[in-house]
């Protein structure tokens, strides 16, 4: 309930002052095993209005521990721009459509940005 009140209050203040409220939008990150999986996920995310834009960053190297062993893999990174209120739905979509047993879905609030871009993001992704 507190989260809902905070969101509504921040949105009302933002609309009244015509300024961006820090944290209204988020940047989320998802790693994929290859470019085809990345493109399929990105298209589905944008089509379902879970994000306004998904950048596909090819050829990253990930070093991580999995099942007690250090792993090193080539992956593709999705940089996803969305409303903070959509992150849970975004994570559910990724979990349901990603081939990894444990898909990475993390997000950070957007503190500042180009006002016209942030307005566009808000216009494209419904609340």
């Amino acid at each position: 309930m507190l989260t809902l009140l905070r969101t509504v209050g921040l949105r009302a203040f933002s609309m009244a002052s015509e300024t961006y409220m820090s944290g209204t939008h988020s940047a989320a990150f998802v790693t994929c095993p290859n470019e085809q999986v990345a493109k399929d996920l990105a298209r589905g995310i944008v089509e379902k209005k879970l994000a306004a834009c998904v950048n596909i960053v090819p050829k990253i190297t990930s070093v991580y521990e999995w099942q007690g062993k250090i792993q090193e893999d080539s992956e593709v990174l999705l940089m996803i721009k969305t409303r903070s209120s959509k992150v849970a739905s975004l994570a559910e979509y990724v979990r349901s459509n990603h081939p990894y047993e444990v898909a990475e879905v993390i997000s950070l609030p957007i503190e500042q940005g180009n006002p016209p871009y942030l307005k566009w993001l808000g216009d494209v992704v419904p609340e």
Side-chain angles (χ1 to χ4, degrees):
M1 181 64 163
L2 182 58
T3 302
L4 176 62
L5 290 174
R6 181 179 183 276
T7 300
V8 170
L10 288 175
R11 182 69 178 147
F13 178 79
S14 180
M15 288 175 13
S17 65
E18 296 186 25
T19 60
Y20 176 73
M21 269 322 258
S22 175
T24 301
H25 300 115
S26 288
F29 303 92
V30 173
T31 51
C32 300
N34 59 55
E35 195 167 332
Q36 190 59 57
V37 169
K39 286 180 180 180
D40 291 345
L41 281 172
R43 182 167 296 283
I45 288 165
V46 173
E47 285 175 350
K48 293 189 177 302
K49 301 246 181 233
L50 296 172
C53 176
V54 180
N55 300 115
I56 299 173
V57 182
K59 299 182 183 178
I60 66 166
T61 301
S62 296
V63 178
Y64 57 97
E65 182 177 326
W66 180 249
Q67 298 178 340
K69 296 179 183 174
I70 303 300
Q71 306 289 329
E72 183 174 316
D73 289 311
S74 179
E75 293 185 297
V76 177
L77 178 66
L78 300 181
M79 296 185 348
I80 304 163
K81 279 72 73 179
T82 189
R83 286 183 180 273
S84 296
S85 62
K86 293 289 186 180
V87 171
S89 297
L90 170 67
E92 179 58 36
Y93 178 82
V94 170
R95 282 192 303 271
S96 297
N97 293 280
H98 201 291
Y100 287 170
E101 183 179 337
V102 179
E104 174 185 3
V105 183
I106 58 173
S107 70
L108 300 167
I110 296 173
E111 298 296 325
Q112 298 180 43
N114 179 20
Y117 180 84
L118 296 173
K119 180 184 181 319
W120 168 79
L121 196 164
D123 291 344
V124 171
V125 180
E127 288 192 54

